[in-house]
Structure formats: C-alpha cells, structure tokens
Amino acid sequence: MTLTSRAPRPAAAASAVALAAVALLVPGAPAHAASNAVPTYEVKINLTAAALDSSHAPSAAVKSAFGITGSAKARSYAYYDTDGLALDAEGWSVRLRHKDGSSFEETYKKRFPVTNGDLTAALDTARAAGFDSADTTYKAEVDWGYAKQTLSFSNEKSRSAKGYAGTALPASATGRDWLAADVPGKLDKWGGTGWGKGLLQQSRAHGPVTAKVYGGEWGASDDASIEVLPVVGADGTGTEYVVELSFKTDSRTDAAELHADAVALAESKGWLYHGDILKTRLILDRY
C-alpha cells in the first residue's frame, strides 16, 4: 500500500478556522444586536375639580374644548402588590382591570424614568435590561405628563369574565392567583428565578376603584379621553376626584404639540392641575 501525504492546508484557511474556533469560545455581542424599542405616546394632563359639573362628570365646556363626544364608560381595576410595595420599589406594577362587557385585562408593566426629556437614554437603559425592539410581547409607551415623562413596557393578557356582571372584579385571592399563574418571564426573573411569581403570591389587591371614561378626538389624536376616578381621601375618609385628560399618538412630534396645546388651553380656562398625579401610586398608597 502506498501512503500519500495530504497537501498542507493554506495558512489563510488555517487562520480562518482558528479564528472561527475562538469566536465560538469567546462570548461577545451578537452580530445583529436588537435596537431600541419604538414607543407610542400618551399625553396625560390632570385637571382640577373645576373641570367637573355637579354630577362629577366633565362639564359641557370641558368636553367641547377637548373634543370629548362619547358617553361615560365604566371600568374597575385594582393593583396587586405586597403590603411593603416590593414590586413598585423595582418599577413594576401589576393591574387587573374589567371594562363593562369585556374580558378581564391583566397588565404587567415596567417603568423607566425619562430624565430631563432624554428619551434615548431611557430607551438605552431599557434595552440593557432586555426591553428592546425584538421583544414584541411588550408594548413600549411614553407617558407624557405635565412635568414628567415615563417610559413603560406593558405585557397584557386576558381572562374570561364569565359569571362577572358589569365591571365586577374577583375576590383579592382569586385575582392574585390569576396574576401569579400568568406572570411573564421578565417579571418572574427580575430579582432571580421565581422572584415575580413569589411576590405576586404574597400580594393583595389595592383597590378596587371604578372610573368613568369619556372618549373623543382632538388635534392630532383620534384617541382622546377624560377619565374621572373617585378615590378615598388621604385620611381614609371622604372622596376625591382625579381627572385625567389624555391623548394617544404614534408621533413624538404630535405628542409634543398636543401637550403644549392642552396645557395652554387648560391653563387659560382655569382647569389645569399644576403637577403629575400617578394613579398607580395613589391607589397603592390609599388602598
């Protein structure tokens, strides 16, 4: 038998193979890293009680000024967190909501602050935490208030409302069990495997509250609304009314214009609340 020698492999080919082997062994950034998420916008401006009539509905003048033409639609909701608000401390909120005639809505939301209007920095921070354009299970949105902006990512699921009339919500323990069973992966693993589910299993309902929402169109937004939310007073007695005017849009430019115009108009009419009321925190604190 005659043995023939294999011709030596060209140096360039050998180098390429070696480099490929190293690339497989050394971790690095993916070849096509996901980009920042692209958010939609919701302008949220709070109004004072001066915007309401004697029945605690938006006055005719307010409706006319902001293109509100729809009749009241009720919705009830509660936030779930521990007594010590462990989820809120990490920027997470979990809500169970029931709109009249609809299924239950489960919303798991992570918030990132937008500091000094620097949305790109907030999106960068969110991407580093795994919230990016590749994850289509979360909807990115910027809540643009009177003075503050917040970037949020929401994961929404539903439950049948069979057997529940109107906007009725389940007992606290039932809602807790639903939300814990349906917890999405990012929340569940936020503080380690099983972190989110574990906290939800220890949570309770903060609420419920029932709001009335009036819809319409205004300016660049075809989804304008006023929500009137009665909440218990800070001392645990009486009722206060939170009035939130909002406009949804896909455009940051339109959102900026809607914000400026709404603030100016509300100010000129004496309806503007000079501050930002975060309903989530208000309900967590008072219920």
Side-chain angles (χ1 to χ4, degrees):
M1 179 183 298
T2 303
L3 297 175
T4 57
S5 300
R6 177 181 294 177
R9 181 177 293 171
S15 298
V17 171
L19 288 173
V22 170
L24 290 172
L25 292 172
V26 179
H32 300 286
S35 58
N36 283 346
V38 179
T40 58
Y41 298 84
E42 184 172 6
V43 175
K44 295 181 177 181
I45 305 298
N46 291 112
L47 306 179
T48 67
L52 303 179
D53 61 22
S54 59
S55 66
H56 304 296
S59 69
V62 170
K63 288 181 178 180
S64 176
F66 292 108
I68 303 301
T69 56
S71 56
K73 294 183 179 180
R75 59 184 61 174
S76 296
Y77 50 96
Y79 290 93
Y80 280 74
D81 207 333
T82 63
D83 286 333
L85 306 185
L87 291 168
D88 180 69
E90 290 293 325
W92 283 95
S93 65
V94 178
R95 184 187 66 196
L96 183 63
R97 184 169 68 179
H98 190 193
K99 297 178 182 178
D100 193 8
S102 300
S103 298
F104 289 109
E105 301 170 359
E106 300 173 333
T107 302
Y108 305 83
K109 181 180 290 188
K110 178 71 177 82
R111 291 186 171 89
F112 297 89
V114 178
T115 305
N116 298 323
D118 191 347
L119 177 58
T120 298
L123 287 166
D124 287 344
T125 299
R127 177 165 53 84
F131 295 89
D132 53 40
S133 61
D135 190 346
T136 59
T137 61
Y138 282 82
K139 176 186 176 184
E141 181 178 87
V142 174
D143 291 338
W144 196 328
Y146 172 74
K148 297 180 180 179
Q149 295 179 39
T150 303
L151 172 65
S152 67
F153 289 81
S154 299
N155 179 293
E156 298 187 354
K157 301 181 180 183
S158 65
R159 284 265 179 170
S160 170
K162 184 178 180 180
Y164 292 86
T167 64
L169 290 174
S172 178
T174 300
R176 177 194 64 210
D177 291 346
W178 290 354
L179 293 163
D182 294 340
V183 63
K186 279 188 172 61
L187 170 55
D188 194 32
K189 300 175 183 176
W190 187 255
T193 302
W195 179 86
K197 185 172 185 177
L199 286 179
L200 281 170
Q201 288 172 334
Q202 302 170 41
S203 72
R204 65 171 178 84
H206 294 258
V209 294
T210 299
K212 291 184 178 178
V213 179
Y214 306 76
E217 300 180 12
W218 192 69
S221 176
D222 61 2
D223 191 354
S225 68
I226 293 178
E227 178 177 350
V228 181
L229 173 66
V231 295
V232 67
D235 63 357
T237 64
T239 303
E240 298 175 7
Y241 291 85
V242 177
V243 185
E244 183 181 87
L245 172 68
S246 73
F247 309 98
K248 294 183 179 181
T249 178
D250 292 337
S251 164
R252 184 169 179 81
T253 299
D254 288 345
E257 182 177 337
L258 286 161
H259 181 274
D261 290 350
V263 168
L265 179 55
E267 180 75 274
S268 71
K269 299 292 186 179
W271 301 325
L272 182 65
Y273 177 84
H274 297 89
D276 292 299
I277 300 174
L278 181 59
K279 292 180 296 183
T280 303
R281 186 63 201 226
L282 185 67
I283 294 167
L284 288 172
D285 285 343
R286 295 194 181 183
Y287 291 87

